[in-house]
Amino acid sequence: MPTLNDGMCLEKVPDLQVGCYMIITVLVTKSALRDEVLAALMDAVASGLPQTNHAGLICLATLAQQRKSALLSKRVLKALLRIERLDHVFLMLKSRFNVDKLALGAVLSILGGVGNVQDTHRMSLIRSMIEADLMDESSMEITIKRILSITQSGNLEQNQGSSLQSSLVDLLQCTAEKENVRKIIQGIIGNSEEDIDARLQTDINRDGHLLEGREEAELDNVHTPSMTESFKDAIRRIPTETAHEISFLSHADSYTFDSLGSAFVLASSSSSSFSSSSLKGFSDLPILRKSLMMTEPLYLSFFVRVWCSPYPDAARAAAIDIVSESLRSTSVVKDLQILLPYIIYGLADSSLIVRRASANLLTTLLPIYCNDRKEKRHPDLAIFGQEQIYGQAKKPSEAVWLSTEEASRFISQILAPSLEECMLDSKHIPQHLSDILNGSKTSRVPQITHKDLKTSLREAIFAFLCSHAINTPIFSMKFRLLKILNQVEKVGGLPRTKALLPLLSESMNKSKLQVENLCNRYQISQGQFHDQLVGIVSPMDRDGIRILQSIVEAGKDSDETLLLLAAYKRIRVIWSSLKPDLQLTLAKLLLELAVEDTQSNAEETRRAEAILTLQTVSLSTIILQHFTENLSVLPDTREISSAPKRRRTNHGHTAISSDDDSQSFGFILKRTAFVLELVEACNPEEHPQLLKGLFQAMGGLQQLKNHSETDLGYLEVLTMGNIISIVEKLKRSSGLQVDQSAIKPNVLIDCLRTTTSPQVQQTALLLISSLASVTPEMVLHSVMPIFTFMSATTLRQTDEYSAYVVAQTMELVIPQLVKSLHQRKEDLILGTSELLFSFVAAFEHIPSQRQLDLFKSLTNKLGPIDFLFALLILLLEKYPDDQVVMQFAANLAGSYDFLTQLRTVEKYLAVNLDMLKPKPTISQHLVVVEGNRTAETVIARMLPLLTMILRGQRLIDKTTNVLARNGENAVIIRTLYAQILEQVVLLSKRTRHYKKLEVCCSQVLDSLLGLLSTSELVGALGSILANDENEVIRLQVLNSFQRRLTHDLKDSEPARKACLAFLPQLTSILEKSSSLPLKHTTLACIDYISEKFGKKDIAVVFTAAEIAFSSRNCSPADRSFHIAILLCLATMVEVLRDAFIPLIPLVLPKIFDYLSASIAEEPEDDCLHNAAYSLIGALLLHIPWIVTGTYLERLLRISYQSANANIDKDCNKSRQETLRLAAKQIDPQQSFAALCETWKSAMTAGPNAVMECFETFRIIIERQPKSLISQQTEILTDILINAFDLRRTQFSTRTESSFKDSDVDDAETAIFESAILMIYKLNDATFRPIFSKMWEWTIDPISKKDKKANVYRRITFYTFLIRFFDTLKSIVTNYAGFIIEDAVEVLRDTSLQDEDSKLLWRRVMKALQKAFEHDQDDFWQSPTHFSYVSESLLMQLSHESRISVTSEVIPVLTGLAVAADSASHHKGLNGAILQYMRSDNALIRLAAVQCEYSLTERLGEEWLALLPEMLPFISELQEDDDEAVEQETQRWIRKIEDILGESLNSMLQ
C-alpha cells in the first residue's frame, strides 16, 4: 500500500498512476475489504487524482461501489470538485462503468455541508447530476429525500435558512420537469402530480415543516404583520420613474427589474387577505406606467419577464393573471401576438398554476382575434410593441411578425383547441406544436384538418417563433422554444438551420462567463441549453455543419467546453444522416483531433470527445479505407538513413535515438493503433475493401519494427485480427471476389520469423490458415517454413488458444498442401517429410494432454492411409528408446478403423523390409541407417510397435466380427492379412540370425495370429505348418495357437470342428518331431483341444493319448516333458473315462515310478510329484474302481513316504487332496483293508504319514452309512487296536526314529477323533464287544519283564476314555464298570516315582472325573461302586508331597461327592476327610481343609448338614501350628458363614 500511495502521487508519470489504479481496482473487486480500508484507499487515490486522466476517477467509482456508506470524505469531495465539468465526465464514464454510487456520494457530501450548498457552482453541479440521470432510481430517491429533509429542517440558522430552503426548492422545481424525478417526489410527499409544484412552494413554518392543511385564518394571523411590513419596505425602495426604459424585454440591462421583481414576489406571497390589495398596489406603481400599457410595452413586458423568470410559481401565475385582468379591463384593441411565444412558454411550464394562468390569458386574447364578423379575413391590427418590445436598438426587420389573420388562425385553430390538454400535461404543447409545424398527420387536435393549415401559415408561424427565440433576451424562453423548434426540420421553404443560425452564431460570440451567468440566472442547465443550441444544425445544411466543424476545431483555443461537448454530441446524433463527403471531412478532422497531443484540460476533453465520436458513429467503408490506406506507418526513412554519418545498427536494425524521431514514432504508433482499433470496432468483415490498406499497414509495421527496437505485437495482432475477420467473411461468401493483389503472404512470413510474441505468432498462423482456404496458391509456397516455425513455438504452448491456432492451421493449410501434391503427382511422403519432421521434433515439447488429439488431427488432414505409417516410423526414429512414445504411437494407430490399421501395418512392414534391401527406396526418406545403426538394429526398435497395434482389443474385436459376417470387408481383410503374414514370415527368415529380432518377429506373428477367429487361425496354421519346415516358425505359430487356446478360445461350432480336425496334425508333429520345445508346445495344444472339444471325438483323443504315453515320448530325460505328458493324460482321462482303461496297465506303474523318483531325488521334483498325483486324481474321479488292491496299497505306501519327504506345501496339498478323493471314491472294504495292511508302513514313514492315514480313515468313516460300518467291525477293531498300540511301539524302545511325545499326542488325538466318529455309527450292542475286546487287549500283560508296555497301553486307553466319557457323556457312564478295578489298582499301586507312572495316574484320575461328571443314571450312588472308589481317592490326599492335591485330587473327590448325591455317602466321605485333619503332616491337614472348602463351595447347605461334626475339628484347626493350615481354615469358615448367613463364633466357643 505505501508503494501504491507513492506511485499515485507522481503526477508526471501518468502510466505509473494508471498501473496503481488498476492494481487497486483488481484488489477491491477480488477481495472483501472493510469500509475503513476502502475509505483510506479512496483518500489515497484522491490525493493524486489527475485532471486529464479518467483512470483515477474510474478507480474511485469502483471503490465507491464496494463501500456500504455512500458519503465521501472531504479530501475525496475536494478532489472531485476540482475536476472541470464533473457531471459531463461522469456522463462519459457511465456507459462503460458504474458511477452511480460515486455520484450519489458526491451529491450527499455536498448537501452534507449545508453552509456551502448555496455556492452557485455546487448547486449547479447537483442539478446537472440529477438531470443527467447519473444515479439509479434508489440513489435518486435518496438524493431527493435528502434535499427535502434539508428544506424541512428546523436546525438551520435563521439568517441562512430561508435562502437555502428557497434554493433547494428551486432546484427541485427545475429537476421536477424530468418524469422520473417527478414520480420520486410524488412518492415521497404523497401528493398528486398537480399539487407537487404547489407543495414545493409552500412556506416554511416556525418548526421548519412544510405547511399542510392550514386554514387561511391561521395563515393570516401568523404572517400578516411581517409580510405587510416587508412589502411596504420594498415599495419604498423602488424609484418612481425608470431611466429611459421602455421595455423589460430589452437586451439592455435593467436597473429596476430586480427590485421590482422582489417586491412583486413579496406581494404575490402575501396572505390572501392582503394579496389582492398588494398586487393592485404594485400594478398601480407609477414606474410601471399602467395607463400607457397599450401604448408602450413597459408594463406588460415586466409581467412577461416575471413569469418567464425563475420566480416562485405563485408569483409567476400572479403576473400572468395581472396581464389577463389588465387586458380585460382595457378597451384598446391591438394585435398582441408578442404575448403568444410567452404564453406558449407558460403552457409548457411544469407548474400547474402557471399553465392554468397561461391558458386563461390565451382565453382572454381570443375575443380580440375571434370576434363574430362577416369578413372572411381578419382586419389587420397594429402590432403591439413591434418596434419597442426588444429595445430600440433592435431593428424591426430583425423580428418576424405574423399578420393579424395568421395570428388569429394560430390562436384559434392551433392553440385554443388544445388548452385542456396543455393544462393537464406540460409536455403536450411542445409535441402539439412540433406536430403542427411538421404537418404531421398524427396531430392531436381532431378539429384541425391539414388542408386548413396551409404550408404558408405553418411557415409563417415557424419563422415567427424562430425570430422570437433569437430576439428574446430571456434564456429560459430561448431554451423552451428551441426544444419545440428543434423537432422541426423544415417548414415549407424555410429550413430550421437557416432560420435559427443567427441564434447559434450569437451564442457562440458570447463568452463562457456570460452564458454561464445567464443560465444560472434563469436556472437552466448549461449543458442542456448548448445541446438545444447546436440542435439547430441540420444534417442537410452544410453551413451548419461548417459551424459545428469550427466549434470542434476551436475547442483547444476556446474555454467554452460545454459548447464543444454539445457540438460533438450533435455530430454523433446527425452522423447517419450526413452525406458521405461530409462524413469523410468530419472523420478526417476527428481523427486528427483524436490522436493529437494534449497540453490542457480543454484539449484533453476535445480529444476524448473526438475518440468517443469516432467510436460511436458508424464509419463507412470509404472512411475506413481512407484511414487505412493513408496510415503513415513509417516516417521518411531517407532522413533516417541518409544522415552524414549512419547511426550504429544492431542486428541489421537501425537504432532510432533522437528525441524528434522518438516523438514522431510515438505519434505514428498512436495514430496507427487508434485507426486499427476503429477498424476492429466497425466489423471489418463488412468492409473487404480494407484488405489492401491493412496489408500495407502490416508491411509498414514490419519496416517500423526493423528500424526500431520496439515490440509492436499489439498493433500486429490488431492488424491481423482485422484481416482475419475479412478473410473469414470471404470464405463464407462465395459471391465476393478477392483482390489477390492486396494479399501479401510474405509479410506474414516475415512477421512470424521476426517476432517473439506468442500472441503475434498465433494470430499470424490463424491468418495464414484462413488465407490458405481463400487463396491457397499464394500460401502453399511458404507452408514448410510455417510448420518449422510452429514446431519451435506454437506447438509447445500449453494454453487452449494455442491449441486452437494449431488446429485451425492444420485444418486449413494441410488439406490444400496434400491436394496440391496430388495435382502435381509428386511423392507424398517426400513432399510432406519436412512437415512431418516438424511435428515429430516438437512432440516432446507438446503438452501431454494435447499430443494425441494434435497428431490425430495432423494424420486426418494428411490422410491416415497414406501417412500414418510414416508418422509412426518417424516418431520411433526420433525417440527410439522411449516407451511413452511407443505407447503413444500405438494409441494413435488404435484410434483409427480396422482397415486403416491393417493397411498401416502392411506399409509399416514394407518399410522394414525395404531397409534390408541393398538399395532402399522409401525407407531412406524416413530412417537413417549408417554406422552402428544397422538395419537390423532399427527394425528391432520398430517391430514392438506392431505388436502393440495388433494386440489392440478394438482391432481384434472388429476384425473378428467382420470375418464372421463374411462380407466385402472380409475379403479385403483376408487379402491384407495374407500379405502381412507373408511379410512377417519373410522378415523372420531374413533376420533369423539375430536373436533379438527373432523374438520381435515371434511377438508380431503371435499378435497377427491373434486377430483371426479360431477357425480362421487353424486354417492359417495348417498352411504354415504344412509348407514351412523351419522349426522356429513352426514353434512360433504353435505358441501363438497355444496362447489362443489358453486365453481366447470360444466354444463355437466352427472352432470345435477346426480344432478337432487339427488334432491329428498336432499328433503327427508330436510323434515325428525331435525338438523338445516344439513337442512341449504341441502337447500343450493337444491338452487344451482335448479338454475343450475332446468329448466330441473320443477316438482322436485316445490316439493322441496313446502316442503321448508311448515309449518314444516317455524316454527323454527331460522331466518337464514327462510332467506335460502326465497333465495331458489327466485331461484325457476326464474326456475318455472308461475308454482310458486299456492304458491303465501301462500308465499306473509308470505313475508310481514317477512318484517314487520325484520323492527319492535330491532335490525332490515337486512338479513331477504334483503332475503324477493330478493324473491319479483324475483316475480316482472318473474310474475309481480301477485303483484297488495292490494299486491302492502302493499308492498309500508312496503317499506315506511323500508325507514325510522334504517337499513343498503344494505337493502336500496335492497328495492330501488325492488321498481324500481316494477315501471318498474307493470301496470302503478295500480302503479299510489297505489301511490295515499299510499301517506299519505309515508308522515307519513317520508322524505325518500316521496323521494322513487316520485322516483318510476318518473320511471313510464319515462318508459311509451306519449299516456298512456295522458290517466292518472286525477290521475296524483291528485298525483301532493297532493304532492304540502306537505309544507302546514308539516308546518301549526309544530310538532316533521314534516319534516325539508331541507327535504321539497329535496322532492319538487324530485316532481318538476317528474312533469317536466310528462309535457314533454303532449301537451299544455292536460297540460293547469291541470295547470289551479293546479293554482286554489293554490290560492283558505283554511281558512280565516289560512292565512299561502295559503302562503305555493303559495311558493310551485311559486317554481315550477321557475323550470317550467327555464326548458321549451319560450314555456311556456304565462303561466305567469295565475300568473300576483296574483304576483302583492303579491308584493304589502306582509308585509315582517316574514320569510314565505319574502320567498314567493323572489319566486315570481325569478319566474318573469325567465319568463322575456325566453320571445321570446313579451309577456312582451304588455302595459297591462308591465305597470301592472313594477309599482309593481319599488315600490320594496323603500323596501331597508328590502330586498337586489341590488341582488333581480335590476336584475328583468333589466330583464323586456330587455324583454320589447321598447323605450316607456324604457322611462317610466327610468323616474320612476330618480324620486327615488330625494328621501329623501339616500338608495332609492342609489338603483336608482345602478338600472340605471345595465340597462346601460345591454342595453348599447340603454339605453343611454335617457341620456339627466339623465344628470340633474347625476349632482345633483355628489354633493349628501351621500358619497355612490356620489361614485356609479361616477361609473355610468365611465360606461357611457366607452360605449360612450367620457367624460361627458362637458355635466354635
Side-chain angles (χ1 to χ4, degrees), residues 224-243:
T224 297
S226 60
M227 294 300 290
T228 303
E229 183 179 357
S230 300
F231 175 66
K232 290 179 179 179
D233 293 339
I235 291 296
R236 292 192 192 102
R237 292 192 293 269
I238 297 174
T240 58
E241 294 182 358
T242 61

Side-chain angles (χ1 to χ4, degrees), residues 549 575 579-590 623:
Q549 186 174 347
W575 181 269
K579 294 182 178 179
D581 60 326
L582 291 177
Q583 285 185 346
L584 180 59
T585 302
L586 284 175
K588 293 178 182 179
L589 173 62
L590 292 173
I623 295 173

Side-chain angles (χ1 to χ4, degrees), residues 188-203:
I188 294 173
I189 66 178
N191 285 69
S192 63
E193 185 177 352
E194 290 79 0
D195 296 333
I196 291 177
D197 301 305
R199 280 292 304 274
L200 292 175
Q201 285 298 325
T202 304
D203 292 334

Side-chain angles (χ1 to χ4, degrees), residues 917-1038:
K917 294 179 180 178
K919 293 182 178 181
T921 55
I922 187 173
S923 62
Q924 66 180 349
H925 301 305
L926 299 175
V927 295
V928 177
V929 178
E930 60 181 9
N932 294 331
R933 285 177 56 86
T934 61
E936 289 77 9
T937 306
V938 175
I939 294 172
R941 290 173 175 172
M942 296 288 177
L943 289 183
L945 176 58
L946 285 185
T947 303
M948 298 175 71
I949 294 173
L950 293 171
R951 288 180 180 175
Q953 192 60 46
R954 288 180 63 242
L955 177 61
I956 295 173
D957 294 342
K958 191 64 179 178
T959 305
T960 304
N961 293 336
V962 172
L963 289 174
R965 289 195 294 268
N966 203 22
E968 181 180 350
N969 285 335
V971 177
I972 299 174
I973 289 177
R974 289 190 179 96
T975 303
L976 281 173
Y977 191 88
Q979 294 173 359
I980 296 171
L981 186 60
E982 182 181 354
Q983 287 175 318
V984 173
V985 173
L986 181 60
L987 186 62
S988 180
K989 289 180 179 179
R990 290 186 179 181
T991 59
R992 62 182 176 274
H993 300 297
Y994 299 92
K995 186 64 178 177
K996 187 175 181 179
L997 264 180
E998 180 182 343
V999 174
C1000 294
C1001 291
S1002 175
Q1003 292 174 346
V1004 173
L1005 181 60
D1006 179 42
S1007 303
L1008 182 62
L1009 294 174
L1011 290 177
L1012 299 178
S1013 63
T1014 304
S1015 56
E1016 298 271 355
L1017 176 62
V1018 169
L1021 291 179
S1023 175
I1024 295 174
L1025 294 174
N1027 299 324
D1028 201 325
E1029 296 296 330
N1030 190 320
E1031 294 288 338
V1032 175
I1033 300 297
R1034 303 178 96 194
L1035 180 59
Q1036 287 177 355
V1037 296
L1038 283 180

Side-chain angles (χ1 to χ4, degrees), residues 322-361:
I322 288 174
V323 173
S324 299
E325 184 64 29
S326 299
L327 292 177
R328 281 194 295 268
S329 63
T330 184
S331 61
V332 179
V333 179
K334 283 192 175 184
D335 188 349
L336 295 173
Q337 61 178 277
I338 183 62
L339 297 178
L340 294 181
Y342 300 96
I343 292 175
I344 293 172
Y345 176 93
L347 291 174
D349 199 272
S350 61
S351 173
L352 178 62
I353 58 176
V354 175
R355 296 199 300 274
R356 285 175 178 170
S358 300
N360 186 36
L361 175 57

